[in-house]
Amino acid sequence: MNGDEKPLFRIPNWLLLLAVVLVAMLALRFPLAPGEPVVDIPYSRFKQLLADDMVESVRLRGNSIEGELVSAESLGPMQKLASRFTTRVPGFGDDELLGLLEQKGVTLEVAEEEISNPLVSFLVALLPWVIFFGFFYWLMRQARRNVIGGVGGQSDLRKFLQPPVEQADRPQVTFDDVAGQENAKREVTELVDFLRDPERFTKLGAEVPRGVLLMGAPGTGKTLLARALAGEADVPFFSISASEFIEVFVGVGASRVRKLFDTAKEQAPSILFIDELDSVGRTRGTGLGGGHDEREQTLNQILAEMDGFSGHEAVIVLAATNRPDVLDPALLRPGRFDRHVVLDLPDRKDREAILRVHVRKVPLGDDVDLAKVAGGTPGFSGADLKNLVNESALLAARENKNRVMMRHFESARDKLILGTERTLSIQPEERHRLAVHESGHTVVGWFLPHADPLYKVTILPRGKALGGTQLIPEKERHTLPEEYLHDQIALMLAGRAAEELLLGSVSSGADDDIQRATALARAMVSRWGMSEKIGPVDLRESEEHPFLGREIAQPRRFSESSATAIDNAVRELVLEAEKRAGELLQSHRQQLNHLVELLEKEETLHREQIESCLGKAPGKQNVREIAALKEQG
């Protein structure tokens, strides 16, 4: 074993000491027996053996006699005796014994009589109980230390109460590494000046916000922006997740908060970043623990610490959350997190800038057009785009390529949106129905005036879908016009309408289409006032979360008659859109049949192939015209 290596198992010193004491006690209490057995015999039998010259030696110790026989073989087969024996002289004594011993030539030894001390006997009898109760008491103390602060005692207790982050780092990330999010960067730029030169603000009586709340969807770069802020200002950066404050024992989280803020103040100017603030910052009074709940105790300590900053303490607290709706109002008041910075999903221009940041170390092929990749990824966050670049590089590595080509980006995009391509045995008639369904979406989407441009259509199974028709918007939409929404519903129901037109029946393949069309029609009626019968009245049953992209249920605030009117208006919108899709397919039935045959043959059709099959869409520019306009600038 090397000198630096630690033994796998080390016996504690207290355990060795306890073993030594037990062995000594047992040795005193129960002396080791001699090698040969010792038999206790009557005194009369001893006199008989002495008379028969069978005794070789004798030791007198008071009234006790210990002797050793010459041989025990002559005693007969039923009367065998061990070679060593003991006996006691009667209480009245035996005056003839010494003479008989001398006459028989027995070796005589006289030993000092042992005097028994009652106190020593009592202590020897009490010692096992003392050791037992002492060991039990030690176990209880160890169990208590484990519950409070770990096995190590007070040092581990202090370590248990300390925050997980004690040492700050100085990030090397700057605003140049944060592509897009120009509005958010402008909001926090003045904080950099304050951290670099706080006296310039304080001498004028200005107070820079102590708390900045970063809000946005997951993956929009909240943590990256906080690190970039610290990197630009070149100040210590403390980063911690709010969930790390929470422990089973009430008060531990509050103690960690105090120590973390004290550490940040000692190294001021500095930045303290709390990620996932909603894990401890939820509205108080909603938990079962009342005022003694650990989360509320931790939140109260955070509020107290943010109020306790002095003017000379240049510490800025940043926090990130994607659930600002659940935060306690006391966190959002002036003097705490009073500046709110929203990080939106990147638009097309920002997505291209983000891609350029992530491909710095990726060798790209000559055909890679990052502007086209950015245009084909609407709704992608910064984290999604980073994952897209990584997946593209992995696909190129699997093919042993030296560069990442455009087809790798397209395959990675399809994988992230639709799922991994899978091998599935599909019957010919089911494959034909699938081609009819997807061709219906394609034809209606091609000829509708307000639909998004088609990207490609496929009948190859990906993820949970057996096929798909992909449309990519040419521009970012922040509001949705009514005519665009009507075209969207017709596009969703076009696959079902094509099955009914060409096959005479419908299938369960339109399940997702019907669900999305109904949800969109209900939003038009109950939220956006796009129904003449209902009017501009808010009759929604759920609230859409601004960042998470999902509906949050809320109690119904309208009558049953209003609910019936909403259902009728939704049904009317959906049926009207399906009828419109069916009429459009009927008017282009020949082109629909041609597209079905081509799709069954090729399995995947891109925009150029779709245009050659269906011709130029009325009111839309074709691919060549769009390319010519791009070349002209």
Side-chain angles (χ1 to χ4, degrees):
M1 181 181 297
N2 297 331
D4 296 337
E5 296 181 359
K6 295 182 178 180
L8 297 179
F9 179 74
R10 181 177 178 271
I11 301 177
N13 294 333
W14 63 266
L15 188 58
L16 291 175
L17 180 61
L18 179 62
V20 171
V21 172
L22 288 176
V23 170
M25 180 193 68
L26 293 176
L28 293 174
R29 191 74 176 89
F30 306 102
L32 295 177
E36 298 180 5
V38 180
V39 179
D40 191 12
I41 61 176
Y43 183 72
S44 58
R45 182 69 180 276
F46 165 67
K47 293 289 292 284
Q48 183 180 353
L49 292 173
L50 186 60
D52 294 340
D53 297 328
M54 298 300 298
V55 179
E56 180 177 0
S57 61
V58 169
R59 173 184 292 181
L60 296 179
R61 188 188 303 272
N63 291 337
S64 177
I65 298 177
E66 300 175 3
E68 185 174 353
L69 300 178
V70 175
S71 174
E73 298 296 333
S74 59
L75 298 179
M78 304 302 295
Q79 300 289 334
K80 283 189 177 181
L81 187 67
S83 61
R84 298 177 63 87
F85 66 91
T86 60
T87 186
R88 294 184 65 84
V89 180
F92 51 82
D94 188 354
D95 298 335
E96 301 178 354
L97 179 58
L98 293 178
L100 186 58
L101 291 173
E102 185 178 355
Q103 179 184 352
K104 295 297 183 180
V106 176
T107 303
L108 177 61
E109 181 182 353
V110 179
E112 185 176 354
E113 184 179 2
E114 294 181 354
I115 301 176
S116 177
N117 191 334
L119 180 59
V120 174
S121 301
F122 174 76
L123 292 178
V124 171
L126 187 62
L127 182 60
W129 295 102
V130 172
I131 294 176
F132 172 76
F133 283 110
F135 184 67
F136 181 76
Y137 176 74
W138 179 85
L139 287 179
M140 294 296 294
R141 285 181 58 86
Q142 290 297 109
R144 184 180 178 184
R145 288 181 180 179
N146 291 342
V147 171
I148 294 178
V151 179
Q154 294 298 326
S155 61
D156 281 346
L157 176 59
R158 288 192 296 268
K159 186 182 299 183
F160 180 73
L161 296 177
Q162 287 176 352
V165 177
E166 298 180 16
Q167 298 295 329
D169 61 341
R170 293 179 180 266
Q172 303 301 317
V173 183
T174 63
F175 285 154
D176 294 336
D177 300 306
V178 184
Q181 303 297 349
E182 298 300 328
N183 294 330
K185 286 192 286 188
R186 279 195 299 269
E187 287 283 339
V188 299
T189 298
E190 68 179 25
L191 301 179
V192 177
D193 298 332
F194 171 74
L195 290 171
R196 288 176 177 173
D197 187 13
E199 294 182 0
R200 180 159 61 97
F201 294 84
T202 56
K203 70 181 181 181
L204 296 176
E207 294 183 2
V208 175
R210 294 300 188 187
V212 179
L213 183 62
L214 305 178
M215 303 182 298
T220 50
K222 298 184 290 293
T223 303
L224 180 62
L225 181 61
R227 294 184 64 85
L229 175 60
E232 285 284 342
D234 192 23
V235 296
F237 180 74
F238 296 87
S239 176
I240 189 172
S241 176
S243 61
E244 296 182 54
F245 290 123
I246 302 301
E247 290 290 347
V248 176
F249 309 105
V250 176
V252 174
S255 175
R256 289 180 173 179
V257 169
R258 286 193 298 270
K259 293 183 179 297
L260 179 61
F261 274 81
D262 290 341
T263 306
K265 292 175 185 178
E266 292 173 359
Q267 302 188 33
S270 61
I271 290 179
L272 197 159
F273 177 64
I274 304 175
D275 200 7
E276 303 297 341
L277 181 63
D278 50 275
S279 62
V280 296
R282 292 176 178 266
T283 303
R284 288 168 292 182
T286 58
L288 298 178
H292 296 286
D293 181 69
E294 168 67 357
R295 294 179 184 271
E296 295 190 6
Q297 294 279 20
T298 305
L299 174 58
N300 292 337
Q301 190 62 44
I302 293 176
L303 297 176
E305 291 293 337
M306 295 192 69
D307 274 344
F309 283 125
S310 302
H312 64 280
E313 292 170 340
V315 178
I316 294 179
V317 183
L318 299 180
T321 182
N322 50 31
R323 293 296 309 273
D325 55 310
V326 302
L327 294 180
D328 193 281
L331 276 173
L332 307 178
R333 73 159 177 80
R336 289 174 182 154
F337 291 105
D338 50 1
R339 175 167 295 191
H340 303 161
V341 179
V342 178
L343 283 78
D344 299 314
L345 289 173
D347 56 16
R348 184 169 185 167
K349 179 181 178 181
D350 290 341
R351 290 197 298 271
E352 183 178 353
I354 294 173
L355 286 171
R356 296 192 182 280
V357 171
H358 292 311
V359 298
R360 289 174 179 174
K361 300 180 180 180
V362 178
L364 300 179
D366 297 334
D367 63 337
V368 174
D369 185 359
L370 294 181
K372 184 177 179 180
V373 176
T377 53
F380 274 43
S381 65
D384 294 330
L385 294 173
K386 181 180 180 181
N387 191 29
L388 173 67
V389 174
N390 184 62
E391 288 290 340
S392 303
L394 291 176
L395 290 175
R398 293 192 191 104
E399 299 177 4
N400 294 323
K401 301 294 182 181
N402 296 327
R403 294 173 176 266
V404 180
M405 312 302 291
M406 189 65 184
R407 58 186 176 85
H408 297 138
F409 280 97
E410 293 177 352
S411 298
R413 174 190 171 279
D414 293 342
K415 178 181 179 180
L416 295 179
I417 295 179
L418 302 177
T420 305
E421 186 174 337
R422 57 188 177 130
T423 303
L424 190 64
S425 178
I426 301 178
Q427 299 298 325
E429 60 274 9
E430 188 176 10
R431 190 169 181 270
H432 177 67
R433 180 179 289 274
L434 180 60
V436 169
H437 184 98
E438 298 302 333
S439 298
H441 287 304
T442 304
V443 171
V444 171
W446 187 259
F447 290 104
L448 282 176
H450 303 289
D452 293 322
L454 279 162
Y455 174 65
K456 74 174 182 179
V457 57
T458 180
I459 57 174
L460 292 176
R462 279 185 174 273
K464 296 182 179 180
L466 298 178
T469 303
Q470 299 181 37
L471 298 91
I472 298 178
E474 290 182 341
K475 56 185 178 181
E476 304 291 335
R477 284 190 174 88
H478 302 287
T479 58
L480 303 176
E482 184 177 0
E483 56 272 13
Y484 172 78
L485 295 173
H486 283 289
D487 283 2
Q488 284 295 107
I489 298 177
L491 175 61
M492 294 172 186
L493 299 175
R496 184 176 186 273
E499 291 184 38
E500 188 173 7
L501 176 64
L502 298 185
L503 303 177
S505 62
V506 295
S507 67
S508 61
D511 176 45
D512 183 63
D513 298 330
I514 294 175
Q515 180 182 2
R516 292 189 296 118
T518 305
L520 183 56
R522 186 170 295 276
M524 294 173 62
V525 172
S526 62
R527 295 175 56 188
W528 302 326
M530 296 181 181
S531 172
E532 296 180 358
K533 296 181 179 180
I534 302 299
V537 184
D538 183 12
L539 299 174
R540 72 187 76 191
E541 295 181 357
S542 60
E543 186 75 26
E544 184 178 359
H545 193 278
F547 298 127
L548 300 184
R550 64 168 182 257
E551 299 287 333
I552 302 176
Q554 60 183 14
R556 177 183 289 182
R557 303 189 301 268
F558 48 87
S559 63
E560 289 295 333
S561 60
S562 297
T564 302
I566 293 173
D567 292 339
N568 293 333
V570 170
R571 184 180 296 106
E572 183 179 340
L573 273 178
V574 172
L575 293 178
E576 181 183 352
E578 185 183 31
K579 179 180 178 182
R580 184 183 175 199
E583 293 174 351
L584 189 59
L585 290 172
Q586 181 65 38
S587 61
H588 298 85
R589 183 164 186 170
Q590 183 177 357
Q591 294 164 300
L592 175 62
N593 288 326
H594 185 197
L595 184 63
V596 170
E597 294 177 3
L598 184 61
L599 185 58
E600 283 190 274
K601 178 181 178 181
E602 300 292 338
E603 293 186 335
T604 299
L605 300 176
H606 291 274
R607 182 181 175 88
E608 294 80 1
Q609 298 169 289
I610 296 173
E611 183 176 343
S612 64
C613 179
L614 301 180
K616 181 180 178 180
K620 297 182 179 180
Q621 296 173 321
N622 60 19
V623 176
R624 296 190 182 122
E625 291 176 350
I626 294 174
L629 289 176
K630 285 184 177 180
E631 291 179 359
Q632 296 174 5

